[in-house]
Amino acid sequence: MAKIIGVTLSERVQAALVVDHKLAGPLQCFPDDGGEDDGALIEMPTDDLVKMLCEQITCAAQGATDISAVGVALPGVIRNGVVEDSPNLPQLKGARIADLLTLKLAEHGLSNVAVNVMNDADSMAAGLAATRQKLDRLIRVWTLGIGIGYGRYPFIDGVWEGGHGVVSLDDKERYCGCGGRGHLEGIMGHRAMRLRFLDMEPEEVFEAANAANPDKRCLDFKRLWHKALAAATATEIHQEGAGKFFITGFNVRFLDLPMLKDYLQQMVKMSPLQSYSLEIVKDDAETRVIGAAVSAEQAAARG
């Protein structure tokens, strides 16, 4: 069976050997879980980041030289092995990351390895498809975190930056990290919420909204937050049809599923499109790493 290395890169790097869509070795992590170095990768120059990625990949390979592919998932617009933009890791903008990794891995004894680079939200979708034996189905997933990720499986060519979908025409909605107006991330993203409520943390906002005597400002925002996700989901349903949507990320703790379903029901009225479903799932590194490996395996098969 093919040996593939799956890698995810966001606040930290996580990598592991994957065989038959399962982890076949320990999950490598850099920086290791500690919390103090969560911003370390943002400050790291591209060359150092590539070097560090190769070190983690080599460590995950556990001495094996018959690695057939490496899948690397990172935030941003990724096409043809090039990071066209990445607001969360701005130093990577324009980097031909697949070529850089291929050359550096050869120096580490891993030559002739197919390197596939993808958006990290897509790796989550692929991981869910693999771990749930649904590799023949359309899988879509929202990741609610610092930003908002939209992942899609199976792979088709496209940008798929659903987190930057326009869900509001209000001129005041300009909190998105990319600078765009009216974006889903500008309403739901953790960073955006902190900018909007400079006097309250997101946790405090939702706590006040859910109180017995709710704060009106916070309750209005809770409704806006859910309407925004419903609008983005309804848009995807109208573009690609009904089906399963997974929702994950550390901010699913704020999600009121009945409220979301109610708003979505008001937005999707054509009966052929109403056979959609929503499910909250745990956001874990293993699923993303497996998804990165599965995507690399399929990319290698496509040639």
Side-chain angles (χ1 to χ4, degrees):
M1 289 181 283
K3 295 180 180 179
I4 306 167
I5 303 295
V7 185
T8 65
L9 169 60
S10 53
E11 286 80 19
R12 49 176 45 88
V13 174
Q14 292 159 319
L17 177 66
V18 176
V19 178
D20 194 26
H21 303 166
K22 297 181 180 65
L23 261 63
L27 190 68
Q28 307 295 326
C29 186
F30 176 88
D32 56 9
D33 294 326
E36 295 182 0
D37 296 321
D38 280 356
L41 300 183
I42 298 176
E43 306 296 332
M44 190 176 289
T46 299
D47 289 345
D48 292 342
L49 196 54
V50 169
K51 179 182 177 182
M52 183 271 298
L53 279 171
C54 289
E55 290 171 351
Q56 296 302 309
I57 291 168
T58 303
C59 189
Q62 305 176 69
T65 57
D66 57 341
I67 303 298
S68 60
V70 172
V72 180
L74 51 87
V77 180
I78 320 294
R79 288 193 288 193
N80 301 317
V82 178
V83 182
E84 296 187 350
D85 204 349
S86 182
N88 292 340
L89 294 168
Q91 73 271 41
L92 291 182
K93 182 173 181 177
R96 305 184 68 84
I97 197 74
D99 291 343
L100 292 172
L101 285 170
T102 299
L103 291 172
K104 202 68 178 178
L105 284 172
E107 297 177 9
H108 286 74
L110 294 175
S111 56
N112 301 317
V113 175
V115 175
N116 182 59
V117 185
M118 75 216 73
N119 180 272
D120 57 346
D122 289 335
S123 73
M124 185 64 181
L128 287 168
T131 56
R132 292 172 177 245
Q133 288 76 53
K134 305 257 183 219
L135 288 169
D136 60 338
R137 306 284 181 86
L138 171 63
I139 299 289
R140 290 166 287 186
V141 56
W142 292 109
T143 300
L144 314 183
I146 299 298
I148 303 297
Y150 174 73
R152 185 195 189 281
Y153 172 90
F155 170 82
I156 60 174
D157 191 31
V159 177
W160 305 114
E161 279 291 333
H164 296 272
V166 177
V167 296
S168 172
L169 301 181
D170 187 341
D171 288 344
K172 297 177 182 178
E173 292 298 338
R174 54 177 73 186
Y175 295 100
C176 189
C178 77
R181 183 177 295 178
H183 289 190
L184 176 66
E185 185 171 309
I187 295 172
M188 297 190 71
H190 198 82
R191 182 192 295 113
M193 287 190 284
R194 295 188 76 184
L195 288 172
R196 183 187 302 266
F197 291 88
L198 295 174
D199 58 333
M200 302 175 74
E201 288 295 320
E203 295 84 356
E204 296 172 315
V205 173
F206 281 88
E207 182 179 350
N210 295 327
N213 295 307
D215 177 279
K216 184 181 184 302
R217 180 177 64 138
C218 296
L219 181 58
D220 287 346
F221 177 72
K222 176 185 174 180
R223 290 168 175 159
L224 175 66
W225 196 85
H226 283 81
K227 284 179 181 178
L229 183 57
T233 304
T235 298
E236 298 301 338
I237 290 171
H238 286 103
Q239 289 181 336
E240 288 202 281
K244 188 80 168 219
F245 286 85
F246 294 98
I247 309 173
T248 189
F250 66 82
N251 275 345
V252 292
R253 58 196 166 136
F254 301 143
L255 189 65
D256 182 333
L257 202 54
M259 178 180 280
L260 176 63
K261 288 179 177 178
D262 180 52
Y263 286 137
L264 189 55
Q265 187 178 35
Q266 296 173 34
M267 296 175 184
V268 181
K269 289 297 186 180
M270 290 184 278
S271 56
L273 300 179
Q274 291 179 342
S275 59
Y276 56 81
S277 62
L278 307 172
E279 181 180 342
I280 297 172
V281 293
K282 179 182 178 182
D283 185 5
D284 64 272
E286 289 189 12
T287 301
R288 292 181 180 275
V289 166
I290 290 171
V294 168
S295 297
E297 180 182 43
Q298 294 182 348
R302 291 193 299 267

